[in-house]
Amino acid sequence: MRTSIKTFLGVAAAGSLMFSLAACGPANNASSAPASSSASAAAEMPKPLASIPALTGTSTAVKLDSSFAEALKTLKLTPGVIGTAQLTDGSLVFPITGGKVDYYDPAKDYRPYVQGLINHAGSGFSLTSGDTKVDLTNFTIDPGTSKLYGDVAVNGTVAAKQAYIFNLDGSTLKPLAKSGDTAILEGTRVLVSDTAAGLLNKTFKTDAVKADMLVGIAKITVNTK
């Protein structure tokens, strides 16, 4: 039987890296929807040590790196927020609206040992230059592949659904922290994917957006009750 969310958090804290994000695999097609990752070839899937079957929040925040802000200025791109997203104290904040996470024994061979999806429907951010506006919305984090997907629209017209937008580098992730009824994971580096770099360069007619450009540092806060 699956353990409670409190047990899950306890197991995660002991391992220090509940969402230890695995190395990024090959880039998905821009129009491909993400699927909960499963790298094991085993015929029978093991039971998770713990599970959060329904995430209820609260948010994923990305503290924008100064180099990214400077790059936007150089490219003459103006950022903005969409829907329920907020720009607060230099951080883009996207409310978590759903998803689930399963945690498997990292001492075993089954990989990735953190699997699931974290959804952020109804929020996002925009980049505007002149009369061209790109909207990036409805983010989905797949912790098993270290990828963030999202919908892309140009001047209101959908360009891609659930495109691979950001790579998530968890090598700098701090140990799990608790604050009241929430658990906090902070330190993951958010990097521009090669897919997103290509889309933005094509749209804004430039070659200045590079794959693996640092966007900022992520802070994921989830409810524990």
Side-chain angles (χ1 to χ4, degrees):
M1 184 173 65
R2 292 183 174 184
T3 59
S4 68
I5 188 169
K6 286 185 176 180
T7 302
F8 176 81
L9 293 170
V11 171
S16 296
L17 296 174
M18 180 179 76
F19 286 113
S20 179
L21 302 176
C24 178
N28 286 14
N29 184 281
S31 61
S32 299
S36 181
S37 54
S38 178
S40 174
E44 185 175 348
M45 189 173 183
K47 291 183 179 180
L49 286 180
S51 177
I52 301 179
L55 292 170
T56 60
T58 61
S59 68
T60 296
V62 180
K63 182 72 172 179
L64 299 177
D65 188 77
S66 59
S67 63
F68 180 71
E70 191 61 35
L72 293 183
K73 290 181 181 179
T74 300
L75 293 169
K76 298 181 180 179
L77 297 178
T78 302
V81 294
I82 298 172
T84 55
Q86 296 182 345
L87 179 58
T88 305
D89 296 329
S91 292
L92 286 168
V93 182
F94 311 104
I96 293 174
T97 58
K100 62 170 291 183
V101 173
D102 291 326
Y103 178 85
Y104 297 88
D105 188 349
K108 304 295 184 181
D109 292 334
Y110 190 72
R111 290 293 184 273
Y113 64 83
V114 182
Q115 299 185 25
L117 296 174
I118 305 173
N119 301 321
H120 307 77
S123 66
F125 71 97
S126 63
L127 296 172
T128 304
S129 177
D131 57 1
T132 302
K133 181 182 179 184
V134 173
D135 294 336
L136 306 171
T137 58
N138 301 321
F139 298 137
T140 302
I141 294 174
D142 184 338
T145 62
S146 299
K147 294 180 179 180
L148 184 150
Y149 302 84
D151 297 340
V152 182
V154 180
N155 291 336
T157 300
V158 175
K161 282 284 190 180
Q162 292 301 288
Y164 166 39
I165 299 176
F166 297 124
N167 173 35
L168 306 175
D169 174 14
S171 63
T172 55
L173 185 64
K174 298 177 182 178
L176 181 74
K178 290 186 179 181
S179 178
D181 293 332
T182 63
I184 301 168
L185 290 151
E186 186 173 7
T188 297
R189 299 168 72 234
V190 180
L191 309 171
V192 175
S193 73
D194 53 357
T195 300
L199 286 170
L200 292 172
N201 283 330
K202 181 179 179 180
T203 300
F204 293 114
K205 298 178 174 59
T206 181
D207 60 0
V209 182
K210 305 298 184 183
D212 292 331
M213 176 187 290
L214 177 62
V215 176
I217 304 298
K219 178 180 180 180
I220 299 175
T221 304
V222 297
N223 287 328
T224 59
K225 288 187 178 181

